[in-house]
Amino acid sequence: MRTSKLALSVAIALVVAAGALLALPAKTAWKTVTPSKSQDKVKILVKDKAITYYRVNAASPIEAKLKGKVRLRVYVRCEVPSGAAGPVKYAFTTSIDGKDPVAHEATAVVSKVAKYDGAGSAVPGDPDSFYVEVPEGEHTVTVSVDKECKQ
């Protein structure tokens, strides 16, 4: 059976993205996933193209219900405090059906090309992405924050 390709965007106070069709490499088409459970969504403008991200924090994980076998690409951006100098570290965990959590650590700097569509005191960091291999059957993928974006 062929593996489908899905993309999910997250923002970690952290923001996770779910936008238009995403592709990597150029010949691979990615379908956007809308989370089944999320706090709220924000629009981030990248070169005047709006991408929807979903906020994630320690109290509010994000969940997506998927039918496998699929490869899920998750995009994350740290919401960097306004005026932050230097890199910001953050950490989050992914799990499938609440089992076998996988820890991820990342470092973000303020993005030079992205901005929020609207006012706010935080600014988006550069994006990061990772993959979750979802096995055959129906599953829930969860992204939760372990360490908020702080210097």
Side-chain angles (χ1 to χ4, degrees), residues 5-93:
K5 311 253 189 223
L6 302 175
L8 174 70
S9 303
V10 176
I12 293 181
L14 186 69
V15 282
V16 178
L21 287 181
L22 305 169
L24 178 76
K27 293 184 180 183
T28 303
W30 292 84
K31 296 178 185 174
T32 299
V33 174
T34 301
S36 53
K37 176 184 173 187
S38 66
Q39 183 182 5
D40 64 338
K41 60 184 174 179
V42 295
K43 297 275 187 191
I44 295 180
L45 300 175
V46 179
K47 298 179 182 175
D48 296 323
K49 180 180 177 186
I51 300 171
T52 301
Y53 277 78
Y54 296 88
R55 279 205 170 87
V56 177
N57 60 37
S60 300
I62 189 171
E63 293 181 354
K65 294 186 184 300
L66 305 171
K67 186 172 184 178
K69 180 174 185 179
V70 298
R71 177 176 233 202
L72 178 67
R73 183 173 187 189
V74 181
Y75 292 88
V76 296
R77 285 183 185 265
C78 180
E79 292 186 324
V80 180
S82 184
V88 176
K89 295 182 184 271
Y90 61 102
F92 52 98
T93 299

